[in-house]
Amino acid sequence: MTHSEPRAGQSAARGLNDKSIRNLFIFPTIAFLIIFNIFPLLFSLYTSFTDFRASTNAPANWVGLENYSYLLTNEFIWRNFTITAKYVLISVTGQVVVGFGLAMLLNRYMPFKGLITTLLLLPMMLSMAVVGLFWKLLYDPNFGIINHSLGLGKFEWLANPDMALWAVAITDIWMWSPFVMLLSLAGLSAVPKHLYEAAEIDRAGTFYTFFRITLPLVAPILMIAIIFRTMEAFKTFDLAYILSSQPTTELIAIRLYKMAFLEWQTGLSSAFAYIVLVMVVGITMIYVKYLNKVKER
């Protein structure tokens, strides 16, 4: 009898071999994904072609592309897309500028650098609801510290239709700039030091060093940060919903929530969700294509 035969006999005696143990872990995971991810995805895709309403027991009638046609030709829906695009542009741009600027400041020796970095990372660790309520107090026209610090009197940040979206974007920038800072720090620390030494020997200026050495080498990881933050900004719901109820802050996520859970237009909201999904995937693919070009340089 070989050495492998006793092992096989022992496994058979236990009733479980390696393949059975593997399946014991894989099958529940597959079942979980099917029940909680794949099935809702397919069911919502089906309901997007019907007039189904979850608030009634009426049967769902097949309407084909009518929901999609209605949404894509509705001027109010396009207004939501316009507001969201403006919000994403302001928010992501601000996060990149502030986050990368903080990373540049921290990418050098300074006392208590670890403590400062940890404190700067705290905002992104907080709950969206907590951040929203916290900044709502800061924006308060009567006792908010922002108006007091800037000498703006009783300026209405959240009740002003022209400023409400900017107020929400500023809050998002404060919360998520540390995420960009963290990724940028990782990229800056990976830049070879001998490149800066060579530039210093050649008496290259700060402007030349930044645009010819620092930015090109950090650009790939900076693009990854932009991709993640753009995807998340398009899905923003909590901050805008808590901070302001102005029509100028009705992002597509808020419009989708109202359509699905306040108006109970389940079929229409499912179609809206898939339009948003296709749009976000399309924008992400453009970013990824540009990221690949940046890596090839």
Side-chain angles (χ1 to χ4, degrees):
M1 182 180 293
T2 62
H3 291 289
S4 61
E5 289 176 349
R7 295 178 182 174
Q10 292 173 3
S11 298
R14 289 196 303 267
L16 288 175
N17 54 28
D18 293 340
K19 185 176 181 181
S20 300
I21 295 174
R22 182 194 64 187
N23 294 338
L24 190 63
F25 285 95
I26 292 177
F27 289 156
T29 304
I30 294 176
F32 181 86
L33 291 174
I34 292 174
I35 294 172
F36 292 100
N37 288 316
I38 299 177
F39 173 73
L41 191 67
L42 296 177
F43 182 73
S44 62
L45 180 61
Y46 164 75
T47 57
S48 69
F49 297 102
T50 68
D51 61 354
F52 176 63
R53 285 177 175 267
S55 60
T56 66
N57 293 323
N61 299 311
W62 185 267
V63 296
L65 297 175
E66 185 177 321
N67 289 335
Y68 292 92
S69 176
Y70 170 78
L71 292 168
L72 293 174
T73 56
N74 189 307
E75 60 177 316
F76 296 105
I77 297 299
W78 279 108
R79 185 188 66 182
N80 295 129
F81 278 118
T82 303
I83 293 172
T84 305
K86 181 180 177 181
Y87 170 79
V88 171
L89 182 63
I90 297 171
S91 177
V92 176
T93 302
Q95 290 169 30
V96 171
V97 172
V98 175
F100 190 71
L102 289 173
M104 291 288 292
L105 291 174
L106 291 173
N107 190 41
R108 61 189 67 189
Y109 172 78
M110 62 172 61
F112 308 108
K113 179 179 177 180
L115 177 62
I116 294 172
T117 304
T118 303
L119 293 175
L120 289 173
L121 291 175
L122 286 178
M124 62 179 284
M125 301 177 186
L126 299 175
S127 166
M128 281 278 196
V130 172
V131 171
L133 293 173
F134 174 70
W135 275 81
K136 197 170 186 177
L137 294 175
L138 294 181
Y139 284 129
D140 190 277
N142 296 313
F143 54 82
I145 193 173
I146 292 179
N147 283 350
H148 178 74
S149 300
L150 300 177
L152 297 176
K154 292 188 176 183
F155 182 76
E156 295 279 356
W157 286 88
L158 302 176
N160 188 327
D162 297 326
M163 290 302 302
L165 187 67
W166 284 91
V168 177
I170 290 171
T171 305
D172 197 45
I173 291 170
W174 175 83
M175 184 175 186
W176 289 109
S177 290
F179 174 79
V180 180
M181 179 196 76
L182 194 62
L183 291 183
S184 300
L185 270 175
L188 288 171
S189 62
V191 177
K193 302 299 181 184
H194 66 83
L195 295 178
Y196 292 116
E197 294 171 358
E200 187 176 354
I201 292 173
D202 293 337
R203 296 184 179 181
T206 305
F207 183 87
Y208 180 90
T209 304
F210 176 78
F211 284 99
R212 290 302 181 92
I213 298 176
T214 305
L215 192 58
L217 293 178
V218 181
I221 200 166
L222 198 59
M223 279 298 303
I224 293 174
I226 293 173
I227 290 172
F228 278 109
R229 290 312 310 149
T230 300
M231 293 172 62
E232 290 299 319
F234 267 105
K235 297 186 297 180
T236 298
F237 172 81
D238 315 57
L239 285 181
Y241 191 78
I242 292 172
L243 285 172
S244 178
S245 58
Q246 292 293 323
T248 52
T249 60
E250 189 178 82
L251 307 177
I252 52 178
I254 296 177
R255 179 67 257 170
L256 183 58
Y257 163 76
K258 291 180 179 179
M259 191 181 295
F261 300 108
L262 298 183
E263 302 169 6
W264 292 105
Q265 300 184 74
T266 312
L268 194 64
S269 61
S270 297
F272 192 18
Y274 272 93
I275 291 174
V276 174
L277 175 64
V278 171
M279 180 184 64
V280 173
V281 170
I283 293 173
T284 304
M285 289 179 66
I286 294 173
Y287 276 140
V288 171
K289 185 177 180 180
Y290 183 74
L291 174 61
N292 293 331
K293 289 183 178 179
V294 170
K295 287 182 177 181
E296 291 173 358
R297 293 177 183 175

